Amino acid sequence: MDKVLEAFEKQITPYLKELKLELADLEYVQDGGYSYLRVYIESEEKQTDLEDCIALSSKIDSIADSMIKEKFFLEVSTPGLERSLKKENDFIRFNGEKIKMFTKSQFDGKKSFEGVIHKFENDTIYLKMENDTILEIPISKMKKANLVYELTEIKEEVWSRKIRESF
């Protein structure tokens, strides 16, 4: 399936460029007895919205159908607040952001880390930990990483006000 996804990505790239979108992630998964082709996108110029997802979906639906012979559902959406980080550019783009990372095997005695991206250089993620130490984790050791969304006091106040206003 990896080769199919690579070929699919190449075929949809012109449509992504036409719509000024970037591919954040692409996956084919089994869930609850169903198969899903999930395409996660972001706008290059603005906040990604439902219209972006619909526009891309209508352009790539037939490509997906021609490449995948089994029954599946095509989902086009944004990667979300706690989006996964997979590529070098993801770590560069989200420098200074808090992430949660899991490694393939034990690294520094653990397999799970939470910290702030200090920098990305030479295929290495420099992760600033809570105690201000910097861990240097080669991207080849990474199993999975995603942003960590934290509700700040200001966001909590706005959220509380909206809840009170809705009553």
Side-chain angles (χ1 to χ4, degrees), residues 102-108 110-113 141 143:
F102 298 91
T103 54
K104 296 174 187 172
S105 58
Q106 284 208 352
F107 185 84
D108 200 36
K110 300 185 328 188
K111 291 176 85 173
S112 172
F113 304 90
K141 293 209 178 265
K143 180 178 182 180

Side-chain angles (χ1 to χ4, degrees), residues 74-125:
L74 173 65
E75 294 180 352
V76 178
S77 68
T78 65
L81 290 174
E82 292 195 336
R83 64 167 288 167
S84 65
L85 306 173
K86 294 185 175 186
K87 305 173 206 164
E88 178 180 328
N89 283 343
D90 292 339
F91 292 96
I92 293 168
R93 177 178 175 193
F94 293 104
N95 186 44
E97 297 290 332
K98 189 171 189 176
I99 68 167
K100 177 121 182 159
M101 177 187 291
F102 298 91
T103 54
K104 296 174 187 172
S105 58
Q106 284 208 352
F107 185 84
D108 200 36
K110 300 185 328 188
K111 291 176 85 173
S112 172
F113 304 90
E114 194 166 303
V116 174
I117 301 171
H118 180 67
K119 67 178 175 177
F120 183 88
E121 204 171 75
N122 301 322
D123 293 328
T124 302
I125 303 151

Side-chain angles (χ1 to χ4, degrees), residues 11-166:
Q11 287 198 25
I12 69 169
T13 297
Y15 298 109
L16 290 163
K17 287 181 181 176
E18 174 188 326
L19 296 168
K20 296 183 177 149
L21 299 170
E22 290 181 16
L23 183 66
D25 200 3
L26 178 64
E27 63 183 5
Y28 190 79
V29 296
Q30 301 276 326
D31 189 11
Y34 297 99
S35 298
Y36 297 89
L37 174 60
R38 293 185 174 141
V39 180
Y40 299 98
I41 59 169
E42 295 178 303
S43 175
E44 295 174 2
E45 300 177 336
K46 60 181 180 64
Q47 187 170 355
T48 311
D49 58 25
L50 182 60
E51 297 305 318
D52 295 320
C53 297
I54 292 169
L56 182 66
S57 180
S58 67
K59 290 181 178 289
I60 66 172
D61 187 45
S62 61
I63 297 170
D65 285 339
S66 70
M67 297 183 80
I68 301 171
K69 300 304 174 198
E70 64 190 47
K71 184 179 176 184
F72 69 95
F73 295 97
L74 173 65
E75 294 180 352
V76 178
S77 68
T78 65
L81 290 174
E82 292 195 336
R83 64 167 288 167
S84 65
L85 306 173
K86 294 185 175 186
K87 305 173 206 164
E88 178 180 328
N89 283 343
D90 292 339
F91 292 96
I92 293 168
R93 177 178 175 193
F94 293 104
N95 186 44
E97 297 290 332
K98 189 171 189 176
I99 68 167
K100 177 121 182 159
M101 177 187 291
F102 298 91
T103 54
K104 296 174 187 172
S105 58
Q106 284 208 352
F107 185 84
D108 200 36
K110 300 185 328 188
K111 291 176 85 173
S112 172
F113 304 90
E114 194 166 303
V116 174
I117 301 171
H118 180 67
K119 67 178 175 177
F120 183 88
E121 204 171 75
N122 301 322
D123 293 328
T124 302
I125 303 151
Y126 293 79
L127 197 59
K128 186 174 184 179
M129 307 306 289
E130 196 172 274
N131 62 5
D132 287 335
T133 60
I134 306 285
L135 281 181
E136 298 178 23
I137 305 173
I139 198 165
S140 61
K141 293 209 178 265
M142 182 186 78
K143 180 178 182 180
K144 178 182 172 184
N146 60 279
L147 292 176
V148 173
Y149 178 75
E150 293 183 316
L151 197 58
T152 63
E153 285 183 34
I154 294 170
K155 290 177 188 173
E156 286 176 8
E157 176 57 35
V158 170
W159 182 250
S160 296
R161 187 171 8 102
K162 286 186 179 188
I163 289 173
R164 286 191 306 270
E165 289 171 358
S166 67

